[in-house]
Amino acid sequence: MNIRYLFDQFQEIFYTLEKNKLRSILTGLTVSWGIFMLILLLGSGYGLENGVHSAFEEDAVNSLWINPGRTSFQYKGLKQGRYIRFNQLDVTGLSRNIEEKEFISGRFYLGSNTTVRWKEKTGKFQVMGAQPEYARIENIKIIKGRSLNDLDEKQIRKVAILGIEVQKELFLHQYAIGQYIHIKGVPFQVVGIYDDPGDKWTLDRIFIPMSAVQTVFHRTDRVHNIAMTIHAKDKEKAVGVEQDVRELIAKQHHFSLKDKRALFTHNTLINYTKFMNLFANIRIFIWIIGIGSIVAGIVSISNIMVITVKERTREIGIRKALGETPGSVIRMILIESILITLGFGYFGLVGGVGLLEIMGNMITGIAYFKDPQINMGVAFGSLMVLVISGALAGIFPARHAAHIRPADALRDE
Amino acid sequence: MPHISKNNKILSLKNVYKTYLQGKNHIPVLRGITLTVRAGEMVSIMGSSGSGKSTLLNIIGLLDDYDQGEYLLNGTLMGKMNESKAARLRNRHLGFVFQSFHLIGFKTALENVALPLFFQKISRKKRNQKAMEYLDRLGMAQWANHLPNELSGGQKQRVAIARAMIADPSVILADEPTGALDSTTSLEVMKVFKEINAQGITLVVITHERDIAAMTDRIVFLQDGVIQTDE
Ligand SMILES: Nc1ncnc2c1ncn2[C@@H]1O[C@H](COP(=O)(O)OP(=O)(O)O)[C@@H](O)[C@H]1O
Ligand SMILES: [Mg+2]
């Protein structure tokens, strides 16, 4: 077969496709739609997964948050409804006794609507006492100045670090380091500004040394709650450490380990693995839907091929009577089907990838969704599967049509 | 195929049988047809509806196969053969004209006429040139770029005849070519066939109209699958 004849055949096929536009487009759009949906699904699934990963960047994934509660029943003669209260000893106790401890800090809420003044400007912010290691637990990034340190804690220095939102609001972008702000009338020197790329909701906070809160404002060694990170690579280990922590505190504060209301612990590693399992399941689900939409695409292509070929029985009969061989008929139908699936499939692929791109640019700052993307190998692989199965699906009706005797194909009803 | 001279037996059927199977019923359609057509003859086949005329023509035209007997096309036995071979033989030696024209609807008159040459792998330019020539011969040149549904019945049949002629066949087979045409147009089409025949092409025409058949050299009557008279 020479090149000119091949070219001629393609010309003939394109001509047929063009002259039967509606049929070609209907077949093609099924394919476009299948690929488009598949790419959208897989891409969004990736976006969800990506979003969860980045959401967990905000805190260390292996952190443990410990909040005191109220006893819900009597225990060893102590009455029901007793408030459990932490103090600095609980922090040191955990620090000493929990082997897996990495970083630990108590937290003291001075108030979430505390009036803070700088020169004539005032604002209301969340002020919190925390120990130096807290910055490591929250994964905050110091962008100017320094973080709180052990010396601040030991010497009860009246220093503060501000979230960038605080700096914006109170200082209106002016240089804040070294300036004095008044927290409830007490002057504190600004030593640092922080940002937290993983957590944009906590940038309106002011951190001051725990010792400063406890001595300047309250004259107590009370701690509202405790945060720590632990060395735990898997869920079982994390659960074990959490249990150790509960036991230690229960013994210290005389409540039953069975009392679920006396102490609340929150283990982000468990959360994280839960999320990861959830997303593994979602991924499987998305793949099932994706494969489903490919199968649906294949089924519609085969149906359309059967209908198309049936509709063309007479045309094929005429062509055969005029001297076309069955092989040539089959080749013509198959090339037509491949061209349609390839062309429209590519169209759907580009559309899907384009929409993902737009989604990625528009949907920012939404929790648990980030950078939807599709692996191009997967995208083109699916297109190839569809093209090949479209061709395979076309073979049987094409063969059937090509072998109908012209006498039968041309009989007038 | 060897050179065809006049008085050669171009079509020769001996005791041809054809039975259709419909469900469990065997329908004998041709029951021993013996018929010889000489090169350059113009023969009409008559007979009542269902007498087997189309079946006979399809067998002659290699559009269908037969069960028993012998069919020789220009001296060569046409037995069981694969479809590709049959397609090539049809393309080179036979032309077809049908009652319902059988033009391809999405192709123009010119493209319909040129189609047999496409299967011969002749270049587009050459086949369109030749198709135009044949359309012109049949007075259809100005309709070349029209689609079949823009043409009258008589015009469609002229296009179909041009298509039957384009590959220079030795035999043209026409199955009730005037069946869908009014009498004036029918006579015009028959005149065209006469002219074609005058060029030496053998013609076999099925008709059930006496005056149409009367325009041919020879009339074969078919009844219940056998030849009744041959005059
Ligand atoms: N493919 C087929 N299957 C079954 N019966 C058929 C088939 N083709 C033709 N016949 C039957 O064969 C008989 C002859 O048909 P045909 O050759 O078309 O007759 P004519 O052209 O003389 O009207 C009819 O009874 C018709 O019903
Ligand atoms: Mg008939």
Side-chain angles (χ1 to χ4, degrees), chain A residues 140-304:
Chain A
I140 61 174
K141 308 262 176 297
I142 297 294
I143 55 170
K144 277 194 195 98
R146 61 169 179 88
S147 190
L148 298 177
N149 60 34
D150 288 333
L151 228 55
D152 297 333
E153 195 64 46
K154 213 172 269 167
Q155 300 184 353
I156 320 178
R157 284 179 181 165
K158 284 184 269 178
V159 292
I161 59 169
L162 317 181
I164 49 170
E165 291 300 324
V166 181
Q167 192 221 2
K168 257 185 218 163
E169 239 189 282
L170 206 57
F171 286 87
L172 307 165
H173 298 288
Q174 296 173 66
Y175 196 70
I177 308 291
Q179 298 288 313
Y180 283 89
I181 54 172
H182 292 261
I183 298 171
K184 287 185 166 177
V186 180
F188 279 76
Q189 190 178 27
V190 177
V191 295
I193 308 291
Y194 73 88
D195 189 8
D196 191 347
D199 188 353
K200 297 285 182 194
W201 299 280
T202 56
L203 295 176
D204 56 347
R205 284 186 187 166
I206 297 172
F207 287 107
I208 56 180
M210 186 62 112
S211 57
V213 183
Q214 287 168 341
T215 50
V216 173
F217 296 105
H218 286 276
R219 307 200 171 281
T220 164
D221 70 341
R222 192 162 160 212
V223 165
H224 284 139
N225 58 24
I226 301 169
M228 65 192 292
T229 55
I230 53 179
H231 296 288
K233 283 287 155 261
D234 56 36
K235 197 175 142 187
E236 282 67 37
K237 183 78 183 165
V239 171
V241 174
E242 190 177 350
Q243 196 53 34
D244 292 346
V245 167
R246 293 189 73 94
E247 272 173 32
L248 204 72
I249 294 173
K251 214 163 121 199
Q252 189 72 25
H253 290 268
H254 312 290
F255 62 84
S256 164
L257 249 187
K258 292 196 187 82
D259 194 340
K260 298 284 177 228
R261 317 285 300 271
L263 184 72
F264 300 97
T265 49
H266 174 70
N267 189 330
T268 53
L269 186 66
I270 295 176
N271 241 3
Y272 184 76
T273 32
K274 259 188 206 158
F275 261 113
M276 286 303 108
N277 287 341
L278 177 67
F279 278 91
N281 287 336
I282 289 179
R283 210 178 314 152
I284 291 169
F285 178 70
I286 282 171
W287 268 105
I288 289 171
I289 293 183
I291 289 167
S293 66
I294 284 210
V295 169
I298 294 169
V299 169
S300 7
I301 294 175
S302 354
N303 278 337
I304 292 169

Side-chain angles (χ1 to χ4, degrees), chain A residues 292-351:
Chain A
S293 66
I294 284 210
V295 169
I298 294 169
V299 169
S300 7
I301 294 175
S302 354
N303 278 337
I304 292 169
M305 287 307 288
V306 170
I307 293 166
T308 302
V309 165
K310 201 164 194 173
E311 188 188 286
R312 296 176 72 179
T313 303
R314 180 161 298 229
E315 181 203 330
I316 292 166
I318 296 169
R319 297 175 70 104
K320 284 183 69 182
L322 299 180
E324 182 159 38
T325 59
S328 167
V329 172
I330 294 171
R331 202 179 331 131
M332 170 184 80
I333 292 173
L334 286 190
I335 294 176
E336 273 187 38
S337 137
I338 289 171
L339 285 178
I340 287 183
T341 45
L342 206 58
F344 281 83
Y346 185 72
F347 171 71
L349 187 146
V350 169

Side-chain angles (χ1 to χ4, degrees), chain A residues 405 407-408 411, chain B residues 18-23 25 27-30 46-58 64 175-176 206 222:
Chain A
R405 257 186 305 208
D408 294 323
R411 183 167 291 113
Chain B
K18 175 75 177 176
T19 301
Y20 282 117
L21 197 64
Q22 202 160 49
N25 299 330
I27 309 167
V29 179
L30 300 181
M46 294 193 73
S48 55
S49 181
S51 57
K53 305 184 294 292
S54 295
T55 305
L56 176 58
L57 204 75
N58 287 339
D64 206 346
D175 191 343
E176 305 204 31
I206 292 177
L222 213 61

Side-chain angles (χ1 to χ4, degrees), chain A residues 1-9:
Chain A
M1 192 183 293
N2 64 48
I3 296 293
R4 186 190 53 69
Y5 180 63
L6 201 71
F7 176 74
D8 212 19
Q9 276 225 322

Side-chain angles (χ1 to χ4, degrees), chain A residues 123-134:
Chain A
K124 288 191 181 297
F125 303 100
Q126 189 174 18
V127 180
M128 194 183 281
Q131 287 162 264
E133 287 182 0
Y134 188 68

Side-chain angles (χ1 to χ4, degrees), chain A residues 374-405:
Chain A
I374 176 101
N375 180 327
M376 277 298 144
V378 172
F380 280 101
S382 318
L383 180 58
M384 281 306 123
V385 167
L386 214 55
V387 169
I388 290 167
S389 48
L392 287 179
I395 282 182
F396 298 98
R399 271 176 59 116
H400 177 74
H403 289 290
I404 294 177
R405 257 186 305 208

